[in-house]
Amino acid sequence: GSGGQASRRQDIDFIFLAATPQQAQQIKPTLNFQYAGDLPVYATSHVFSASGDQAQYNDMTGIRFCETPWLLDASNPLRQQVTRQWPQANGSMGRLYAMGVDAYTLAARLGQLKALPDSRVEGLSGNLGMGANQRIERQLPWAQFVGGQVQRLPNTTP
């Protein structure tokens, strides 16, 4: 820098990270140091391992990512029921358990989704609906890291 007031770079609108928690943990402080700290940073769900090692998320405040409702809501009664029986469903494997739960729910609702194209199922793997060719489409909620914790962001309609 030229010694003046450090200001944010104007040539970038946001940063997209395809990174693991270990990588993001090193990248985010570097961005802050490079005067890019207030740039929106988006990532995939790879940035969240759901392992419960919260120390690794302390340096990642502000990173936004899509995640399953399953991993964002530990107090969901169905999730608690499943994780009591299969503890491994607490970690990142939980995303697969969420799909299993939703497949079971969807089986009973296929007729309704077909008849009412705008109807949705609030699933544990995301918000589900039936698109063209009778394919199930999924929308994930957004979350962000704040002080080592994962915070679900208010739902935004597409």
Side-chain angles (χ1 to χ4, degrees):
S2 54
Q5 180 61 42
S7 64
R8 159 163 121 55
R9 297 181 59 131
Q10 295 304 316
D11 55 343
I12 303 174
D13 294 322
F14 68 91
I15 291 172
F16 177 74
L17 281 187
T20 64
Q22 293 74 21
Q23 292 164 333
Q25 194 180 3
Q26 295 169 339
I27 294 168
K28 185 67 169 88
T30 307
L31 293 176
N32 296 349
F33 183 72
Q34 300 290 343
Y35 313 129
D38 58 349
L39 271 175
V41 178
Y42 297 94
T44 66
S45 60
H46 284 111
V47 81
F48 180 48
S49 69
S51 68
D53 175 16
Q54 288 180 344
Q56 69 181 340
Y57 304 127
N58 286 337
D59 289 330
M60 290 159 60
T61 290
I63 296 181
R64 296 178 172 203
F65 59 101
C66 283
E67 188 50 88
T68 57
W70 173 279
L71 285 180
L72 293 180
D73 181 14
S75 63
N76 179 291
L78 189 51
R79 174 182 161 171
Q80 290 180 337
Q81 196 181 332
V82 171
T83 52
R84 265 197 302 276
Q85 202 151 356
W86 297 285
Q88 64 271 32
N90 267 316
S92 57
M93 289 290 283
R95 296 182 184 113
L96 298 175
Y97 286 83
M99 287 176 68
V101 169
D102 285 354
Y104 183 78
T105 307
L106 281 171
R109 302 276 297 272
L110 286 175
Q112 177 197 351
L113 289 171
K114 216 156 119 179
L116 306 166
D118 289 336
S119 59
R120 314 285 300 176
V121 171
E122 284 289 336
L124 290 174
S125 67
N127 187 306
L128 308 167
M130 191 177 285
N133 306 329
Q134 296 180 14
R135 290 189 172 184
I136 298 298
E137 294 170 353
R138 178 171 77 118
Q139 290 173 331
L140 289 168
W142 285 92
Q144 75 176 348
F145 291 109
V146 180
Q149 303 290 321
V150 173
Q151 203 174 68
R152 183 172 176 163
L153 294 170
N155 282 349
T156 50
T157 47

